Amino acid sequence: MNQQDVKKAALKILEDSYVGTLATIKGNKPHSRYMTFFNDDFTLYTATSKKTQKVDELEANPNAHILLGYEGEGVGDAFLEIEGTMSLNDDREMINKVWNEHLEGWFEGPDDPNLIILAIKPDRVRLMNKKGQEPQALEL
């Protein structure tokens, strides 16, 4: 698979899949949870509270690992493994872009003072399980 095809397949997964796992480091061990992701090209964004462990973990170690796209179909059901570096983003424009009605259960609205966006800039992206093929690395 050439790089153009890998990129196209990876972007399709990012456009079609919103829920994935985010793993951070907590006390030198992985700490995973499901999150909802939004993307701008290959940079991922997810809303969280300033009071969560994710923010504390980011401050101690900004490395993250994300799994996104697997739908449970088995072999051939492609998904992405993304390794990246997290940062906090409190830009009003980004908060408004990420805000949606599904966040209402956790926040009072886009102006909630505890709402912050985690931005994950990828260092490595691999397309996995594409019709039984070997993992395909995307050159960033």
Side-chain angles (χ1 to χ4, degrees), residues 44-108:
L44 297 176
Y45 300 93
T46 186
T48 194
S49 171
K50 293 177 183 177
K51 297 179 179 181
T52 63
Q53 292 178 346
K54 291 179 287 298
V55 172
D56 295 337
E57 292 163 3
L58 174 156
E59 290 171 352
N61 184 333
N63 293 302
H65 187 269
I66 296 167
L67 296 175
L68 192 62
Y70 185 74
E71 300 295 330
E73 298 298 322
V75 174
D77 195 357
F79 64 97
L80 298 177
E81 280 189 358
I82 302 169
E83 294 175 13
T85 305
M86 292 188 303
S87 62
L88 297 174
N89 184 323
D90 62 359
D91 177 69
R92 178 63 31 209
E93 185 177 328
M94 182 53 66
I95 289 172
N96 289 334
K97 186 175 180 179
V98 170
W99 179 259
N100 66 72
E101 65 186 31
H102 300 292
L103 297 174
E104 291 174 356
W106 288 275
F107 302 100
E108 295 175 9

Side-chain angles (χ1 to χ4, degrees), residues 4-138:
Q4 188 71 2
D5 291 339
V6 173
K7 183 175 183 177
K8 184 178 176 182
L11 285 172
K12 174 98 171 94
I13 291 169
L14 288 174
E15 290 169 10
D16 293 346
S17 301
Y18 298 100
V19 177
T21 62
L22 169 66
T24 55
I25 305 299
K26 178 180 178 182
N28 272 346
K29 294 186 179 186
H31 183 201
S32 299
R33 76 282 277 158
Y34 286 104
M35 299 293 293
T36 303
F37 294 97
F38 305 90
N39 79 86
D40 182 7
D41 200 18
F42 285 97
T43 300
L44 297 176
Y45 300 93
T46 186
T48 194
S49 171
K50 293 177 183 177
K51 297 179 179 181
T52 63
Q53 292 178 346
K54 291 179 287 298
V55 172
D56 295 337
E57 292 163 3
L58 174 156
E59 290 171 352
N61 184 333
N63 293 302
H65 187 269
I66 296 167
L67 296 175
L68 192 62
Y70 185 74
E71 300 295 330
E73 298 298 322
V75 174
D77 195 357
F79 64 97
L80 298 177
E81 280 189 358
I82 302 169
E83 294 175 13
T85 305
M86 292 188 303
S87 62
L88 297 174
N89 184 323
D90 62 359
D91 177 69
R92 178 63 31 209
E93 185 177 328
M94 182 53 66
I95 289 172
N96 289 334
K97 186 175 180 179
V98 170
W99 179 259
N100 66 72
E101 65 186 31
H102 300 292
L103 297 174
E104 291 174 356
W106 288 275
F107 302 100
E108 295 175 9
D111 296 322
D112 188 314
N114 290 313
L115 174 61
I116 194 147
I117 305 299
L118 295 177
I120 302 97
K121 181 148 178 70
D123 301 318
R124 180 178 178 205
V125 176
R126 292 191 327 154
L127 177 63
M128 306 296 292
N129 209 26
K130 182 73 175 171
K131 296 180 182 161
Q133 296 177 4
E134 292 293 317
Q136 302 289 312
L138 178 65

